[in-house]
């Protein structure tokens, strides 16, 4: 008898509490997507895509920053290391705007291509970086997981940017000259074994910078194409 | 004069080294090493570096800054030493490359040498520290009676957020004027913020600052002030919490009460012991008709069937002592007091649960004298019958019950059966006098009996009575068994006042078996059945109607229910003129125990014959 009573009372109590609090909490209704006409809907979804891609790139950069800081503590490279000065990232062959004016002067298509090139160029090196980290017993699992995550994110980011480029091409915002797959520079950068002699630390350093570039270029691109959404 | 000159020369000579020493100061040395303190970029388009010079070594020292870009060996000097102030180098837009490592060194030079500072690697992206936000405005607004602060600001002028070059994140803090601690809020990338949780009215101060996604926080903006009117803070959530708490407590208490409801019920409303009288009807009591109540109390089947509770019955046999003359005297002398006492004690003893079997007053078992008695019973039978037929009036019996702890010996029960005489006698008879009378009566009757020659022998023999079957107690045979027949007594009573012994028709004395005593101290008699007799159908049993206030047992004749005669139990005793009490009723078998309220006066014979 007692269990039944307890159960019934607790059930009633739970139901009552739930009803009470659910009624007081205002439910946020989801805004309808594409409620407007066709054209408006396209624009909205492009902004959405851009936002997602930018978020993705921000996340990638954050991970690379963390890993770089960890490496710096681990290796403790002295400031007098001369090798650092003459470091050459394998992506330095890709021409990237180094300033705001340069970036703004660049055409949208060029900018998009630059982004894609960068992303392509980093696919293989990151994968190998992850592999080398996994084999190294010096690093803990946490760092290894981060490297793997970084590698995956770059891959996804590349796909996302490709989609954005497609969308822009469809919308006529950019011409159809953008194509990262066939770009010789990209192929060169990815196939070249320039990055192989690089040490892990230098690799991280270079990637940290390049991810920042990608993020920044995406932002510039977005605010140039869709300035009204959060710029 | 010459002395003065000499003194002056001496003084000069003395002072000269001092002068030269003073003029020289510390010895000249190359400058100390300068230190680059920081490099900052406010908008990610230009940047400035500051250094701290070391000791200058006593000579004028010149500081110069040199830098080298990454992947280039060309060394450049700082383009602008002045814009940013003392000991600084300002890199303008043309000289600033983002995502490029700068290797910067400061050199301090004086005539004796130069000193190089430690090189610093700078990437402009990571040294961005914007200016504080501008145009911070605070306004007091109201929402449903609640005031709140709306803070809005603008990004620093130089930072270009519109093109997406820089993304700034803002933070603001607020406090009352008199307070010391700030309350900070992270505003994200938005340029407006509502502060809702204002504890009270007063003057509020707000400041805002910003930071790029990877960079340094700016300085706090200038303080903006706003006056919030005083208001009473009534929090809905407080009411909700209180309601929830009380409801929860109430539920728990209710549940606990529900679990303990039986205990509570017992505690608050203790069960009232109801009357356990058979035939007692509460409803009748409420209606208030006493006749009905009393008539209802007379339960038809009372006492219960002998087979069911025969063992429970308090079967006490009323011994009727038929003493010899000697014994009479003895008894007279000493017994009254004892008996009275004992009877008092017995009357005060309201216990109804004692087994009659254990009573010392119970008669002896019959094993030895069964046959003898039976033989002798025959004679008495007829006499009893006669006496029974003669009997016409109600008989009253006074019975003093004696409990089981009465010592064995004489029968202390005085089944003195009164005629109506004492009833009609004037004045209330107190117990003592009635006892006396009873005693006298019994004595008289016993003496009557004693006088009879044959009767005495009978009675003597028969006095060794024995209990019928149901009785199990074995008492030592009494010589002084007394049995009194109703007819006997009545005869005596009718004819004369209680006086000396008279001769009476040799009426039989019977055993009256006390069936039980109910709650109202009503003694229910049952005639002890003898084997000789056959129960006379129809008019054999005497039923005890009730016990009067004077402890007078009212008997009446009832028809036996077994023979189909209607049991007239409900009639008023006073109207029962036709009721007779039979002196002897012999019930051979189980009839003996099943007299419910009947006085079976025939039992004597089984015992004695």
């Amino acid at each position: 008898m007692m269990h039944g009573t307890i159960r019934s009372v607790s059930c009633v109590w739970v139901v009552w509490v739930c009803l009470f609090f659910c009624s007081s909490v205002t439910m946020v209704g989801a805004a309808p997507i594409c409620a407007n006409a066709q054209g408006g809907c396209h624009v909205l979804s492009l902004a959405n895509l851009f936002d997602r891609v930018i978020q993705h790139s921000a996340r990638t950069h954050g991970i690379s920053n963390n890993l770089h800081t960890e490496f710096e503590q681990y290796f403790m490279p002295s400031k007098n290391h001369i090798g650092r000065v003459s470091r050459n990232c394998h992506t330095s062959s890709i021409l990237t705007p180094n300033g705001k004016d340069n970036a703004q002067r660049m055409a949208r298509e060029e900018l998009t291509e630059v982004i894609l090139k960068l992303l392509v160029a980093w696919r293989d090196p990151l994968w190998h970086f992850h592999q080398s980290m996994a084999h190294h017993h010096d690093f803990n699992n946490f760092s290894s997981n981060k490297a793997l995550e970084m590698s995956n994110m770059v891959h996804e980011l590349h796909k996302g940017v490709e989609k954005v480029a497609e969308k822009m091409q469809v919308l006529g915002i950019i011409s159809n000259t953008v194509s990262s797959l066939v770009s010789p520079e990209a192929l060169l950068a990815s196939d070249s074994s320039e990055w192989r002699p690089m040490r892990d630390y230098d690799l991280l350093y270079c990637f940290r910078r390049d991810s920042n570039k990608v993020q920044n270029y995406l932002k510039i691109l977005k605010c140039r194409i869709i300035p009204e959404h959060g710029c | 004069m010459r002395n003065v000159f000499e003194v002056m020369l001496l003084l000069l000579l003395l002072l000269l080294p001092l002068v030269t020493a003073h003029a020289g100061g510390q010895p000249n040395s190359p400058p100390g090493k300068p230190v680059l303190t920081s490099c900052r970029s406010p908008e990610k388009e230009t940047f400035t570096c500051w250094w701290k010079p070391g000791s200058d070594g006593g000579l004028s020292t010149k500081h110069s800054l040199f830098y080298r870009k990454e992947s280039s060996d060309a060394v450049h000097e700082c383009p602008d030493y002045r814009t940013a102030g003392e000991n600084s180098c300002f890199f303008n837009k043309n000289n600033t490359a983002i995502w490029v490592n700068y290797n910067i060194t400061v050199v301090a030079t004086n005539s004796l040498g130069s000193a190089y500072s430690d090189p610093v690697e700078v990437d402009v992206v990571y040294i961005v520290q914007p200016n504080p936000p501008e145009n911070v405005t605070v306004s007091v607004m109201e929402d449903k009676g609640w005031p709140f602060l709306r803070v809005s600001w603008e990004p620093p002028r130089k930072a270009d957020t519109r093109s997406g070059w820089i993304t700034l994140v803002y933070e603001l803090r607020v406090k009352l004027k008199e307070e010391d601690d700030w309350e900070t809020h992270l505003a994200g990338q938005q340029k407006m913020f509502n502060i809702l949780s204002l504890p009270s009215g007063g003057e509020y101060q707000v400041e805002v600052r910003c930071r790029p996604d990877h960079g340094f926080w700016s300085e706090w903006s200038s303080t903006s002030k706003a006056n919030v009117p005083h208001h009473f803070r009534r929090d809905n959530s407080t009411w909700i919490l209180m309601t929830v708490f009380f409801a929860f407590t109430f539920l728990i208490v209710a549940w606990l009460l529900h679990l303990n409801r039986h205990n509570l019920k017992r505690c608050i409303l203790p069960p009232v012991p109801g009357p356990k009288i058979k035939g007692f009807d509460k409803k009748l009591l409420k209606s208030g008709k006493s006749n009905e109540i009393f008539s209802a109390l007379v339960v038809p089947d009372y006492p219960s069937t002998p087979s069911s509770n025969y063992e429970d019955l308090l079967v006490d046999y009323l011994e009727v002592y038929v003493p010899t003359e000697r014994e009479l005297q003895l008894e007279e002398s000493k017994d009254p007091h004892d008996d009275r006492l004992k009877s008092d004690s017995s009357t005060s003893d309201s216990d109804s649960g004692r087994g009659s079997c254990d009573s010392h007053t119970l008669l002896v078992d019959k094993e030895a004298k069964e046959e003898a008695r039976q033989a002798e019973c025959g004679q008495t039978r007829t006499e009893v019958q006669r006496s029974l037929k003669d009997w016409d009036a109600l008989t009253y019996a006074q019975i003093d019950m004696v409990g089981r702890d009465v010592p064995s010996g004489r029968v202390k029960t005085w089944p003195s059966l009164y005629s109506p005489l004492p009833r009609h006698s004037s004045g209330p008879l107190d117990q003592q006098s009635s006892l006396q009378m009873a005693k006298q009566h019994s004595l008289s009757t016993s003496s009557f009996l004693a006088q009879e020659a044959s009767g005495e022998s009978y009675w003597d023999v028969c006095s060794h009575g024995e209990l019928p079957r149901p009785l199990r107690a074995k008492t030592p045979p009494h010589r002084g068994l007394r049995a009194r027949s109703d007819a006997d007594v009545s005869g005596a009573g009718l004819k004369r006042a209680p006086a000396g012994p008279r001769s009476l028709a040799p009426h039989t004395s019977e055993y009256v078996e006390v069936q039980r005593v109910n709650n109202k101290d009503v003694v229910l008699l049952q005639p002890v059945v003898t084997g000789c007799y056959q129960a006379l159908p129809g008019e054999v049993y005497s039923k005890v109607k009730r016990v009067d206030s004077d402890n007078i047992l009212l008997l009446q004749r009832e028809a036996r229910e077994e023979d189909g005669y209607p049991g007239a139990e409900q009639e008023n005793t006073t109207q029962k003129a036709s009721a007779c009490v039979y002196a002897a009723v012999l019930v051979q078998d189980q009839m003996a125990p099943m007299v419910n309220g009947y006085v079976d006066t025939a039992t004597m014979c089984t015992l004695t014959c």
Side-chain angles (χ1 to χ4, degrees):
Chain A
M1 188 272 294
M2 250 188 73
H3 290 293
T5 317
I6 294 170
R7 215 177 292 141
S8 63
V9 168
S10 58
C11 278
V12 166
W13 166 243
V14 164
V15 165
W16 188 83
V17 166
C18 284
L19 283 174
F20 188 80
F21 279 108
C22 286
S23 65
S24 59
V25 168
T26 56
M27 308 292 259
V28 177
I33 305 173
C34 292
N36 300 338
Q38 194 80 357
C41 196
H42 278 293
V43 172
L44 195 64
S45 66
L46 184 63
N48 215 354
L49 270 174
F50 257 117
D51 283 336
R52 289 185 197 185
V53 161
I54 288 167
Q55 267 181 15
H56 225 80
S57 65
R59 187 123 196 269
T60 312
H61 176 68
I63 297 175
S64 67
N65 210 6
N66 293 340
L67 265 176
H68 179 262
T69 318
E70 270 182 50
F71 259 74
E72 216 164 35
Q73 290 167 6
Y74 196 80
F75 283 111
M76 285 201 291
S78 58
K79 301 273 183 174
N80 294 337
H81 201 196
I82 302 167
R84 281 185 70 179
V85 183
S86 58
R87 184 191 303 114
N88 233 350
C89 293
H90 72 287
T91 50
S92 50
S93 58
I94 303 170
L95 211 61
T96 56
N98 282 342
K100 183 179 101 172
D101 299 331
N102 291 347
Q104 281 182 326
R105 259 185 251 131
M106 218 179 212
R108 298 172 191 175
E109 293 86 352
E110 272 184 74
L111 206 52
T112 314
E113 262 197 53
V114 163
I115 295 168
L116 287 167
K117 279 182 202 173
L118 282 169
L119 290 170
V120 167
W122 275 108
R123 263 199 298 196
D124 285 342
L126 279 178
W127 172 249
H128 286 276
F129 171 71
H130 158 66
Q131 294 290 314
S132 72
M133 276 205 75
H135 290 318
H136 268 280
H137 297 292
D138 300 339
F139 310 111
N140 54 5
N141 278 342
F142 189 57
S143 304
S144 172
N145 288 341
K146 270 194 200 169
L148 180 64
E149 193 181 350
M150 215 160 58
S151 167
N152 291 336
M153 291 191 85
V154 163
H155 193 70
E156 301 212 3
L157 194 58
H158 177 250
K159 280 199 256 178
V161 175
E162 272 189 341
K163 277 218 166 50
V164 169
E166 262 181 52
K167 192 95 190 170
M168 286 198 291
Q169 281 170 351
V170 162
L171 290 174
I173 298 169
I174 57 176
S175 62
N176 294 342
T177 58
V178 178
S179 166
S180 63
L181 299 170
V182 210
S183 164
E185 282 175 333
L187 285 172
L188 188 68
S190 63
D191 284 352
S192 70
S193 45
E194 281 181 31
W195 53 270
R196 287 186 198 273
M198 282 175 72
R199 294 171 307 178
D200 289 338
Y201 176 72
D202 295 335
L203 208 83
L204 262 180
Y205 182 85
C206 289
F207 180 66
R208 180 170 86 135
R209 180 198 291 174
D210 283 345
S211 60
N212 199 340
K213 278 188 188 176
V214 165
Q215 185 183 1
N216 219 339
Y217 296 155
L218 282 169
K219 282 182 191 169
I220 290 169
L221 208 59
K222 183 214 168 185
C223 286
R224 202 195 289 183
I225 293 170
I226 317 167
E228 55 269 11
H229 287 275
C231 280
Chain B
M1 225 145 65
R2 199 179 294 170
N3 284 346
V4 171
F5 272 125
E6 275 178 76
V7 169
M8 281 177 69
L9 260 170
L10 267 168
L11 279 168
L12 275 167
L13 279 167
L14 280 167
L15 290 169
L16 196 66
L18 282 169
V19 170
T20 52
H22 180 71
Q26 40 282 51
N28 288 346
S29 66
K33 193 169 146 182
V35 177
L36 272 165
T37 53
S38 66
C39 296
R40 287 287 183 265
S41 166
E43 77 285 86
K44 212 156 89 174
E45 294 166 41
T46 65
F47 72 104
T48 315
C49 281
W50 291 271
W51 66 85
K52 194 178 93 177
S55 64
D56 58 353
L59 301 166
S60 65
T61 317
K62 183 187 160 192
H63 292 88
S64 52
L65 186 141
F66 296 100
Y67 67 90
R68 209 161 53 112
K69 277 188 179 179
E70 174 188 332
S71 67
S72 163
D73 291 330
V75 177
H76 308 274
E77 198 184 337
C78 171
D80 191 339
Y81 284 106
R82 261 180 262 137
T83 313
E86 190 80 28
N87 294 330
S88 69
C89 177
F90 173 73
F91 294 82
N92 58 8
K93 267 191 196 178
N94 297 334
N95 295 325
T96 309
I98 316 297
W99 299 299
V100 171
N101 256 343
Y102 279 79
N103 196 319
I104 299 168
T105 321
V106 174
V107 180
T109 331
N110 65 3
S111 54
L112 290 177
S114 57
Y116 290 84
S117 68
D118 290 331
V120 165
E121 291 239 359
V122 169
D123 194 336
V124 180
V125 176
Y126 301 113
I127 56 161
V128 181
Q129 185 180 18
N131 295 328
E134 295 166 6
N135 281 356
V136 179
T137 60
V138 184
S139 54
V140 182
M141 310 195 76
E142 203 174 283
D143 170 47
K144 294 173 191 171
W146 281 103
F148 67 93
L149 290 174
R150 173 163 286 178
V151 189
S152 63
W153 57 88
E154 283 173 14
R157 208 173 298 124
K158 286 192 206 168
D160 186 3
T161 51
R162 295 209 59 194
S163 63
W165 181 238
I166 297 182
T167 312
L168 291 175
V169 176
Y170 301 96
E171 188 182 65
L172 57 84
R173 64 180 186 182
V174 63
K175 79 171 175 74
L176 276 165
K177 187 182 179 184
E178 49 271 11
E179 279 176 15
D180 291 331
D181 296 327
W182 291 91
E183 184 184 312
T184 52
H185 301 274
L186 202 64
Q189 291 181 24
Q190 60 202 36
K191 298 179 191 63
M192 188 261 292
F193 194 79
N194 293 330
I195 302 173
L196 301 168
S197 59
L198 300 174
S200 63
E203 186 182 301
Y204 281 91
Q205 297 175 336
V206 180
E207 292 177 355
V208 191
R209 69 174 181 179
C210 59
R211 168 179 81 94
D213 38 8
H214 302 281
F216 302 96
W217 280 107
S218 70
E219 296 296 326
W220 288 104
S221 67
S222 56
T223 310
S224 299
K225 296 172 192 174
N227 257 318
V228 176
H230 291 269
H231 56 272
F232 173 65
R233 183 174 181 78
R234 191 171 39 87
D235 208 350
N236 272 345
S237 60
T238 315
W239 289 115
I240 291 172
L241 274 172
M242 278 175 59
T243 314
V244 164
F245 173 72
F246 280 121
F248 192 66
T249 314
F250 172 74
L251 275 175
I252 289 197
V253 168
W255 177 52
L256 284 171
L257 283 176
H258 172 70
L259 283 180
N260 291 331
R261 62 183 180 277
H262 295 299
N263 290 339
L264 274 175
K265 207 175 169 185
R266 220 175 296 137
C267 190
I268 295 170
L269 306 166
V272 177
K276 290 174 187 144
I277 303 165
K278 240 186 184 179
F280 186 79
D281 196 351
K282 281 186 207 170
K283 291 170 195 166
L284 278 179
L285 193 67
K286 282 177 194 168
S287 66
K289 296 178 188 169
S290 59
N291 288 342
E292 289 174 13
I293 295 164
F294 290 130
S295 58
L297 280 173
V298 181
V299 181
D301 59 338
Y302 182 80
S304 46
T305 58
S307 57
S308 59
N309 57 353
Y310 194 83
E311 270 96 49
D312 307 332
L313 294 178
L314 177 68
V315 180
D316 268 328
Y317 282 93
L318 303 175
E319 287 183 13
V320 179
Y321 179 60
V322 183
T324 57
E325 285 181 5
R326 271 173 284 130
E327 288 166 349
L328 263 175
Q329 260 115 48
L330 276 174
E331 284 233 12
E332 249 184 357
S333 57
K334 57 172 180 185
D335 272 338
H337 299 284
D338 299 333
D339 290 338
R340 201 179 316 126
L341 285 171
K342 280 163 191 152
S343 60
D344 281 340
S345 65
S346 70
T347 46
S348 61
D349 179 15
S350 63
D351 178 61
S352 65
R354 293 193 189 157
S356 54
C357 309
D358 302 332
S359 170
H360 289 278
T361 64
L362 294 179
L363 304 174
V364 197
D365 50 352
K366 64 178 171 183
E367 68 264 1
K369 297 159 185 149
E370 178 83 62
E371 290 79 19
R373 288 188 204 115
Q374 277 179 356
E376 287 160 348
C377 266
Q379 242 187 350
T380 57
R381 197 184 303 148
T382 50
E383 290 160 357
V384 169
Q385 278 180 337
R386 252 184 287 134
S387 65
L388 282 178
K389 279 165 192 162
D390 296 337
W391 188 252
D392 242 325
L394 284 171
T395 57
Y396 302 89
Q398 179 176 19
I399 300 166
D400 298 325
M401 274 301 303
V402 178
R404 101 170 56 136
D405 48 9
V406 173
S408 68
R410 296 286 185 237
V411 176
K412 307 306 172 199
T413 62
W414 293 86
S416 52
L417 309 175
Y418 274 110
S419 63
L421 187 67
R423 203 176 182 204
H424 300 306
S425 63
S426 60
L429 290 169
D430 62 330
Q431 197 158 14
Q432 180 172 353
S433 60
S434 60
L435 271 169
Q436 272 301 93
M437 287 168 69
K439 169 109 179 121
Q440 284 175 346
H441 270 285
S442 60
L443 285 176
S444 65
T445 41
S446 60
S447 62
F448 300 155
L449 298 171
Q451 274 170 11
E452 295 163 1
S454 60
E456 180 176 3
S457 65
Y458 269 123
W459 294 125
D460 278 344
V461 175
C462 286
S463 66
H464 296 294
E466 187 199 321
L467 300 170
R469 248 169 293 130
L471 292 178
R472 292 180 292 279
K474 297 193 195 258
T475 54
H478 298 280
R479 275 217 59 107
L481 289 174
R482 301 178 202 222
R484 194 158 310 256
S485 69
D486 306 340
D488 191 9
V489 174
S490 66
L494 278 171
K495 284 170 192 169
R496 57 197 112 228
R502 306 233 182 176
S503 61
L504 279 178
H507 299 288
T508 58
S509 306
E510 290 84 17
Y511 286 107
V512 181
E513 175 184 321
V514 179
Q515 196 75 357
R516 86 175 121 145
V517 179
N518 67 357
N519 287 355
K520 290 188 182 171
D521 283 342
V522 175
V523 178
L524 308 163
L525 298 179
Q526 171 195 344
V528 177
V529 202
T530 64
C532 312
Y533 265 77
Q534 277 296 321
L536 296 175
E539 21 175 7
V540 173
Y541 291 96
S542 311
K543 178 177 174 184
V544 176
K545 188 64 184 175
R546 63 165 194 262
V547 174
D548 210 352
S549 55
D550 297 337
N551 286 342
I552 297 172
L553 192 73
L554 305 176
L555 302 176
Q556 69 184 51
R557 180 183 60 135
E558 298 288 343
R560 280 182 59 188
E561 292 172 22
E562 294 77 35
D563 296 342
Y565 282 78
E569 300 143 357
Q570 314 295 335
E571 300 101 70
N572 213 334
T573 50
T574 52
Q575 293 160 8
K576 203 74 163 108
S578 60
C580 302
V581 176
Y582 287 97
V585 173
L586 186 67
V587 179
Q588 181 84 29
D589 47 337
Q590 294 86 354
M591 288 304 144
M594 67 163 266
V595 268
N596 302 327
Y598 288 95
V599 177
D600 191 350
T601 52
T603 55
M604 177 62 186
C605 283
T606 50
L607 307 175
T608 58
C609 305

